Structure formats: C-alpha cells, structure tokens
Amino acid sequence: MWRWKMKMAKTFSEFTVAGPMVQSCCFSMEEDTPRSPGPCLLRINCRVVAMDLRAHGDTKVKNPDDLSADTMAKDIGKVIEALYGESPPPIMIIGHSMGGAIAVHTAVANHVPSLLGLCVIDVVEGTAMDALNSMQNFLRSRPRTFKSLENAIEWSVKSGQIRNIESARVSMGGQVKKCEESTSSPGVSNSIGEGIIEEDEDEEGEEESNKKRMKEDEQEMTKESLFTWRVELSKTEKYWDGWFRGLSSLFLTCPVPKLLLLAGVDRLDKDLTIGQMQGKFQMQVLPQCGHAVHEDAPEKVADALATFMVRHKFTEFKEGYLC
C-alpha cells in the first residue's frame, strides 16, 4: 500500500545520527511538508524521520480521502513497523497543529510501542474547536491559485501565514502543486462554457448562469495560474471535530514526558492550564510567533526540543552545543 521514497517531501525522509529517533508528523492545517531537521541535528545526537501522510504529497494509499485521526494514527504505526520491524528504536513524536493532534492520537493508541516522548506545537483543544467555526471563511479568503511558486511564497509572508521568508521558501513548495493542463471540466457542456443558453433560459436562467460563472472561473484559473493548493481543506471538514475534540485530556493521559510549545499563553484551555499547574507536562511559550511556530522561529524550537530531550535523558548534546 505504501510507496517508499528516501527523498525530502516524499513518503518519508530519514536523517541518521547516533541516538534516539524523532518521528515528525509536523504539518499545519495547510499540508504535511516535512521541515528541515538540520537545526535540531546540529545540537543533539538523534535520527529524524519526517512523514508524508496520505493525501498530502506523493504517498499512494487505497483510500486517500480517509483523513480521520484513527486512520492517520494507524498510518504512522505502519510506517514505523515497515522501517524497523518488531524492534523499533526509542521514538519521540513531534507534531504541529493538526499534526500535533495526530501525534497525540498515535501516542494514546500505542501505535508506537517504543514511544519515548511527545511534543505538540501550537494546538490546544479549546482554541482549535473555537477556530473551526470560522475555518471555512478563512479558507475562502485565501487565493485559490498562484501564478508561480514565488508568488505563493510572497503571499504566505505578506499574509502573515509564515513570518520567516527562509521557512516559506522551504515549506510552500509542499503546500502547492501545479495545476492540471486541461482547460475543460468533465460533465460541463461546451454550450455552457460558451455562454449559449437555449429554451429553458427563463426557468433555469439563474442555475445556468451560476454554472457558466463557475466554468469561466475554472478556465481562468487554469489559463492564468500554474499553482493551486495541494490539499483541498474545505473537503476535509467532516474530520475536523474528530481531530481535536477531547484532545487536551488525551494529551494529559499520554504516559510519556510531554512538551507543549505555544505561540501565546492565551491559547491554553482549562484542562491544560490545570495540567500545567500540576506539572503534567512542560510548556514553553515562544512570543512574536504566529501559528507556524516552528517556521517562524526554527532555531528557538530546535533549542527547546534539544533541551527537553537532554533533560529527560533521551540523548545528549554534541560537543560544543551545550545550551
């Protein structure tokens, strides 16, 4: 079912150094683009595997539309099993936003029996559930297409989606894809595309007009634009609730050391606030970052991860990189 690639932005990417393994399902609501593990690898001894989950890149599966939390969590377990068989090395899972939710579901379901630790980046049940109410409006506000990859990178920075231009140059290439060359849409007749409306115009004029407009929009999109979003997030709405509902309690019940990285302390919900006061997890706030914390401040995130892993004796700093 899986097609394996040893290249960045394919099914998985592996960077090997002596030490425990860091399993990254680090992706935002936009996509699943493996981020460069370089800064983290410079500081500590570890191995990083970055996954490309179903429907997010070149991975081929039987049912790419099944993006439920349970299915994607099982996918991670299957990848670990395929990589390491019945004896996987100690593993720490890291995930951002929806990827953080999948990391939690993976940990709770024990799909990674050698799990060592868990890091979740800027995802909290309370704020995530509140944000879902306006998510469709947000998605509609984004450009549907871009004339070039450079144009997509420029938009991501100017819109504030990513605040680090270097990170945007890395990640936007995985968030968008080239538009198909075809200028016609299946199931729509040429007469509609050409604006010819015959006998039923009076009764179905409005409907035909809408179809004509949609057809023209699609033709214009293909004609003038080269890139569009890789994942049509609006079509995944039925899974949103399952990703985030109950996430805080699941996170707190994970029986491994946990790190929560946030862009602002105001993102904490009640359960996590109580859990943090009880010392159930380590929290670090990285101010002056947007939602894509790991892209806006990659060095600070790498420092936080390295310090956390060394503190819990998962690994040790390399010589010359003591924090």
Side-chain angles (χ1 to χ4, degrees):
M1 181 168 67
W2 290 91
R3 182 160 61 109
W4 303 106
K5 299 270 187 178
M6 286 295 290
K7 295 181 180 179
M8 204 61 177
K10 301 297 183 182
T11 302
F12 71 88
S13 303
E14 186 171 21
F15 303 79
T16 305
V17 181
M21 193 188 90
V22 177
Q23 170 71 42
S24 173
C25 47
C26 195
F27 54 105
S28 67
M29 282 296 290
E30 282 75 19
E31 41 62 64
D32 175 18
T33 306
R35 311 291 192 245
S36 171
C40 190
L41 288 177
L42 288 175
R43 294 162 171 77
I44 58 176
N45 295 309
C46 70
R47 172 185 299 171
V48 176
V49 173
M51 277 195 61
D52 168 24
L53 289 176
R54 58 177 58 214
H56 288 86
D58 288 347
T59 300
K60 304 299 181 183
V61 295
K62 293 180 179 178
N63 186 8
D65 295 328
D66 182 2
L67 297 178
S68 65
D70 180 61
T71 295
M72 288 195 286
K74 288 179 180 177
D75 286 345
I76 294 175
K78 290 176 182 177
V79 170
I80 297 300
E81 183 180 0
L83 282 172
Y84 301 105
E86 297 180 356
S87 302
I91 294 172
M92 177 176 174
I93 303 180
I94 304 171
H96 166 252
S97 192
M98 187 263 277
I102 302 306
V104 172
H105 284 280
T106 302
V108 170
N110 197 32
H111 290 309
V112 182
S114 60
L115 187 65
L116 201 64
L118 174 66
C119 174
V120 172
I121 303 176
D122 210 47
V123 58
V124 171
E125 178 186 351
T127 52
M129 294 301 294
D130 291 341
L132 293 184
N133 295 325
S134 58
M135 183 55 64
Q136 289 288 5
N137 288 333
F138 164 74
L139 295 176
R140 282 192 289 269
S141 72
R142 303 191 308 177
R144 290 182 60 194
T145 59
F146 302 95
K147 294 183 178 180
S148 65
L149 178 57
E150 290 73 20
N151 181 232
I153 294 170
E154 180 182 9
W155 172 85
S156 71
V157 176
K158 287 186 175 181
S159 67
Q161 298 296 302
I162 304 173
R163 302 182 183 183
N164 183 327
I165 182 64
E166 295 303 322
S167 295
R169 288 177 178 143
V170 173
S171 68
M172 285 304 293
Q175 296 188 44
V176 297
K177 64 180 180 179
K178 287 188 176 181
C179 295
E180 296 179 0
E181 294 182 0
S182 174
T183 58
S184 61
S185 300
V188 181
S189 68
N190 289 334
S191 62
I192 295 175
E194 295 168 1
I196 300 176
I197 303 174
E198 299 180 352
E199 297 178 1
D200 296 331
E201 182 175 355
D202 292 337
E203 298 179 2
E204 301 179 359
E206 184 176 352
E207 180 181 353
E208 295 293 340
S209 178
N210 289 336
K211 288 182 179 179
K212 175 186 174 183
R213 243 190 328 267
M214 291 173 62
K215 174 66 175 178
E216 290 174 346
D217 287 345
E218 291 172 0
Q219 289 180 333
E220 195 69 16
M221 177 184 73
T222 308
K223 178 181 177 182
E224 296 187 358
S225 305
L226 295 178
F227 291 87
T228 187
W229 295 103
R230 183 178 296 274
V231 180
E232 292 188 62
L233 284 175
S234 59
K235 294 183 179 181
T236 68
E237 184 175 9
K238 64 181 179 180
Y239 298 114
W240 296 352
D241 188 86
W243 294 341
F244 301 113
R245 188 170 298 280
L247 183 63
S248 292
S249 61
L250 290 176
F251 175 75
L252 292 172
T253 59
C254 291
V256 294
K258 298 176 285 293
L259 173 64
L260 178 62
L261 297 180
L262 297 175
V265 69
D266 59 320
R267 284 166 159 78
L268 280 181
D269 57 23
K270 180 180 178 181
D271 289 345
L272 290 182
T273 300
I274 295 174
Q276 199 272 332
M277 294 174 65
Q278 295 174 338
K280 293 185 177 180
F281 62 92
Q282 179 181 332
M283 183 183 75
Q284 185 165 341
V285 177
L286 300 178
Q288 299 180 334
C289 289
H291 178 52
V293 179
H294 54 304
E295 297 195 56
D296 294 346
E299 293 292 326
K300 292 181 179 179
V301 170
D303 283 336
L305 287 170
T307 302
F308 175 81
M309 295 179 70
V310 171
R311 175 186 177 187
H312 290 280
K313 303 187 185 303
F314 297 167
T315 185
E316 58 187 19
F317 285 114
K318 293 180 180 179
E319 185 177 354
Y321 284 95
L322 296 178
C323 290

